[in-house]
Amino acid sequence: MKLVRKDLEKDNAGQVTLIPEEPEDMWHTYNLLQVGDSLRASTIRKVQTESSTGSVGSNRIRTTLTLCVETIDFDSQACQLRVKGTNIQENEYVKMGAYHTIELEPNRQFTLAKKQWDSVVLERIEQACDPAWSADVAAVVMQEGLAHVCLVTPSMTLTRAKVEVNIPRKRKGNCSQHDRALERFYEQVVQAIQRHINFEVVKCVLVASPGFVREQFCDYMFQQAVKTDNKLLLENRSKFLQVHSSSGHKYALKEALCDPAVTSRLSDTKAAGEVKALDDFYKMLQHEPDRAFYGLKHVERANEAMAIDTLLISDELFRHQDVATRARYVKLVDSVRENMGTVRIFSSLHVSGEQLGQLTGVAAILRFPVAELSDESSSEED
């Protein structure tokens, strides 16, 4: 994301002008937009024209509109963002108050104005404009006949390719059909890796599977690379890391990211940090439940006692339509930071973020036990 201009007043009202450069920047933009904001961008509008003879025609005209945002629709797979709202600025083609939909896309500048820019939104702009926050982990999660090639960015897990090949069972005395199908499957996965993984950016490629599938696949891939003198794969061989997963489905990626060998290799990536924080929370919940809370009310009470060491919170909560509720989450984040606690904002598009969402989207690891709170929560549950 490129920051073109930032004009904020003392009361944090104002506007920023941004250019999304990567598909992931569209996810950041989705999280910046809120209902009631003002969005200015170039768009195409169908305009009816009447000629001197009285005949009516229609032309598609490019114009710049300023909308008051009403609905925001994000397609996570295509990374497309559609924003619908009413026109709030004079325009020769569009009446004031008329509805229009702007499609935001990479490399198209837009200006976003808010009555109040909170700390969470401003932090997201900083992260989005930091070039170090790019997709530096790739993963191939596979089982016989099924593979998902994913990019693990700091904000989302993107499925770039799904490979499915029907593998016949081995028959006694005749394995040729099985072996041929398996080879065809491996070849398609190799092609998907070469097509979708940018080895200049990616630091590590996880190959995860149950059983021996990952070893057999990697043996096949590098044997073929030697035969065909595939320099791309041979030069990046050290980036491939084999780990166990329970299946070839996307959800099994969390297990692969939890592997100690992986976390040490990915120690400088945000994705690994989120997985570790969630893992630490579950361990604390199991062994010292007085130091692991979840649910907004209990986490807020723990924060009042200045007990929060690490706050885990889903970015989904900051997209809440109710301004007061959203402000409550922002206040919690600011307060934990003021009390020298660590805040980890999880992406709801990450597997770890999905899991945190099942725990109400907010959880905390405490510095010290807060027994009366945990007693209160258990009595409420009873």
Side-chain angles (χ1 to χ4, degrees), residues 119-347:
S119 60
V120 172
V121 176
L122 291 171
E123 183 186 2
R124 184 172 280 275
I125 290 178
E126 270 181 50
Q127 291 175 353
C129 296
D130 180 356
W133 283 64
S134 47
D136 51 6
V137 183
V140 183
V141 195
M142 64 194 308
Q143 64 192 48
E144 274 200 6
L146 174 68
H148 287 84
V149 178
C150 305
L151 292 179
V152 184
T153 76
S155 300
M156 59 209 288
T157 306
L158 291 164
T159 303
R160 277 286 166 250
K162 182 181 179 184
V163 179
E164 277 187 289
V165 172
N166 185 32
I167 313 276
R169 287 185 180 179
K170 285 185 179 179
R171 292 186 178 175
K172 205 170 182 181
N174 182 12
C175 300
S176 58
Q177 274 189 311
H178 171 273
D179 293 345
R180 273 202 304 273
L182 202 56
E183 196 168 310
R184 193 166 72 250
F185 168 61
Y186 288 161
E187 181 55 37
Q188 287 182 28
V189 178
V190 172
Q191 286 173 8
I193 287 171
Q194 293 180 110
R195 195 177 305 122
H196 297 289
I197 294 176
N198 179 0
F199 285 98
E200 287 179 18
V201 177
V202 166
K203 295 175 185 171
C204 177
V205 183
L206 305 179
V207 183
S209 78
F212 297 104
V213 177
R214 56 188 179 277
E215 287 96 331
Q216 290 164 359
F217 167 70
C218 287
D219 288 346
Y220 170 84
M221 177 168 57
F222 292 115
Q223 280 170 13
Q224 291 301 311
V226 171
K227 278 184 194 173
T228 57
D229 194 25
N230 186 325
K231 288 188 170 64
L232 180 73
L233 291 176
L234 294 173
E235 286 170 6
N236 289 285
R237 186 171 188 159
S238 61
K239 291 183 179 178
F240 285 82
L241 183 62
Q242 296 179 28
V243 288
H244 171 78
S245 71
S246 58
S247 75
H249 294 278
K250 183 185 160 185
Y251 66 79
L253 183 56
K254 183 189 174 290
E255 302 163 25
L257 288 168
C258 276
D259 189 296
V262 175
T263 46
S264 62
R265 183 89 167 257
L266 309 183
S267 55
D268 57 343
T269 70
K270 182 174 180 281
E274 286 182 3
V275 170
K276 185 181 182 303
L278 194 60
D279 199 38
D280 289 347
F281 173 79
Y282 279 124
K283 282 177 185 168
M284 193 66 81
L285 194 62
Q286 191 176 358
H287 300 298
E288 286 186 74
D290 285 356
R291 288 181 57 201
F293 286 6
Y294 62 92
L296 180 60
K297 195 166 80 173
H298 291 112
V299 170
E300 280 180 329
R301 292 283 293 280
N303 182 51
E304 284 166 19
M306 296 174 71
I308 295 179
D309 182 44
T310 306
L311 175 70
L312 289 63
I313 190 162
S314 169
D315 61 10
E316 200 167 24
L317 302 177
F318 302 109
R319 296 197 296 274
H320 204 286
Q321 295 300 327
D322 180 52
V323 176
T325 306
R326 195 165 62 237
R328 195 173 164 188
Y329 290 119
V330 173
K331 185 183 171 188
L332 175 63
V333 166
D334 290 344
S335 178
V336 169
R337 284 182 174 145
E338 280 169 23
N339 294 333
M340 307 306 289
T342 303
V343 176
R344 287 204 169 272
I345 299 177
F346 283 60
S347 168

Side-chain angles (χ1 to χ4, degrees), residues 4 33 40 68 94 98 100 102-103 115 117-118 157 169 171 190 205 220 246 259 283 287-288 303 310 348 374 377 380:
V4 179
L33 285 163
R40 183 173 176 79
C68 177
V94 185
H100 186 79
I102 290 179
E103 287 195 11
K115 291 171 186 165
W117 288 84
D118 62 53
T157 306
R169 287 185 180 179
R171 292 186 178 175
V190 172
V205 183
Y220 170 84
S246 58
D259 189 296
K283 282 177 185 168
H287 300 298
E288 286 186 74
N303 182 51
T310 306
S348 57
S374 52
S377 63
E380 278 178 21

